[in-house]
Amino acid sequence: MQLFGGLEGRVEKLEAENAHLFNVTNILAKRLAELEKVLDGQTVTAAVPVVASKPAAKPAATPVEKEESDDDFGFGESDEDDAPKGESEMQKMKRLAAEKKAADAAAKKDKPAPVLKSNVVLDIKPWDDETDLQEMEKAVRAIKMDGLTWGDSKLVEIGFGIKKLRISTCIIDELVGLYDLEDNIQELEDYVQSVDIVSHNKI
């Protein structure tokens, strides 16, 4: 009786354990089914909570460094702003050269030309020793020409009692020609035999 009583107690214990395992197995099977539904995208209202996924945060945009151009340093604000659209580099160079040439020509036109002068010394020889040298000098100085100014004079001994008149002049080169001046003096035939240029220096 004790043997059967002990076996009966063990059988009851095993039955209780099997019933517990059966319940646990059912619970696991149910949760497994619910998990499969979650994986399939189905809504579950049972014990397994589903956490809504948040959209992935966008990475912060990396600031792009601005490339430094010539305009940032003041370059490029040159004559290109004034250049006609569609003008090639060669056309631009030709245009600038023409403008510079025109500006130079205008500057030269407005600027008065320098007055060029010369200091000329003449030797005027008389016919002979009887020629009145004072009268000859008066006749020479009486010659008037634009740009001609008579200067100092003196008598220079030639020989045999004959002297010649050496006289200096200041002339404006553009107005007085030396050949014209010689011809005018040479026309004083009553006094003058010849005219020589002793020196001709630019002032």
Side-chain angles (χ1 to χ4, degrees), residues 29 81 89 92 99 103 110 121 144 147 177 187 190 200 202:
D81 296 336
E89 188 67 22
K92 176 185 175 183
E99 291 176 356
D110 296 338
V121 178
K144 304 296 182 182
E187 289 179 357
D190 294 339
H200 180 192
K202 297 290 184 181

Side-chain angles (χ1 to χ4, degrees), residues 25 32 47 53-54 56 61 87 122 124 138 141 146 176 187 195:
T25 303
L32 180 62
S53 60
K54 296 182 179 180
E87 184 181 37
L122 303 173
I124 303 172
K138 289 180 181 179
R141 290 183 180 276
D146 291 337
V176 179
E187 289 179 357
V195 179

Side-chain angles (χ1 to χ4, degrees), residues 6-41:
L7 290 175
E8 183 179 359
R10 291 182 178 179
V11 169
E12 291 178 354
K13 184 178 181 180
L14 288 174
E15 289 179 352
E17 291 178 353
N18 288 336
H20 177 70
L21 289 176
F22 180 77
N23 292 332
V24 171
T25 303
N26 288 336
I27 293 173
L28 292 176
K30 184 177 179 181
R31 292 187 176 181
L32 180 62
E34 292 174 350
L35 181 60
E36 289 177 353
K37 291 180 181 181
V38 170
L39 294 178
D40 292 338

